[in-house]
Each structure stands twice: as structure tokens, then as C-alpha cells.
Amino acid sequence: MRLVGLSALAVTVVALAVTPALAAGGGPVKGAKYTGSSGPGYPLSFKVSADGKAVDNLVVAYLSTCQPGAGDTAPKFHFGTLAIKDRKFSGTSTDNFFGKTESDKVHISGTFSGRDATGNLSDLAHIKSLPNCTDHSPFTAKAK
């Protein structure tokens, strides 16, 4: 009887230790490629480094629609390597797709919960002859 009581106690202690880790969702999947979308279906993709400490090759398609004359093809923004700290990452990419008088600055911030990554994108659009405007969009991605 006493052995059964100790076994039950050991199982309870292990279950209590594992439960917070499962509830937290864990960090990113090391070496995995994540794909997903934002807004009305704009694609995004990235890879988590083999050591799980960085987001690499992040590409986000995003089209600002807060100014007149928005096109119908979302340009792709390429980000540099972004550090992962406490399951979170963030960074900014700026591109001048349409010449010297127009620019877009896309910022991403995300959180990992194991195979899932979620967060927000914001885009600061600048056209020289118009006021600046900002769009916001949530994103989701999943490890393959």
C-alpha cells in the first residue's frame, strides 16, 4: 500500500510540473519553417534558427490600403534576422517600392506558442503629397 501511495504522489508531482509548461505553450520549434497570413490573406513565412534563438528569412506581403490609389498586389517586405527572447520577436522593414516620394515601414511583433506564432503587423505608409497613415493587421503562422 505504501508503495502505491508514493507512486501516486510521484505521478501527481510530475503532472503538476508539466502542466505549467503545457499551458505556456512552449517556445518556437527549433529549425522549423512557419507559414501563415495576415489581413485579407497576405502570405508570410519565416524559419526559426536551429538553436531556437532567432527568426530568419522573414518575408511578409503587405499592402497599405489607408491611402488613395492602393494597388492590388501586395509588395513583399524582407526582414533581417530577428532575435527571439521569452518566446517573442519583433522588427521593422522599410522599402521604397514606388520611388523616392513613397515609402512603407512595416513592423511585426509576434509570440510563439509551440507550433503556432501569432502577433500584429503595422504599416506606416508615406506618400510625399499626402498625410502619413498607418494600417494594422493581426497575423497567424504555423510550423510545418
Side-chain angles (χ1 to χ4, degrees), residues 80-99:
T81 298
L82 306 177
I84 300 171
K85 183 171 170 117
D86 299 325
R87 299 182 309 136
K88 298 179 183 201
F89 65 96
S90 66
T92 302
S93 175
T94 303
D95 284 302
N96 296 337
F97 295 109
F98 308 108

Side-chain angles (χ1 to χ4, degrees), residues 5-52:
L6 287 175
S7 294
L9 177 62
V11 168
T12 301
V13 169
V14 169
L16 289 174
V18 170
T19 301
L22 291 175
V29 178
K30 296 176 180 177
K33 181 174 182 178
Y34 284 73
T35 58
S37 63
S38 71
Y42 300 137
L44 67 88
S45 65
F46 59 88
K47 185 170 181 186
V48 171
S49 63
D51 64 6

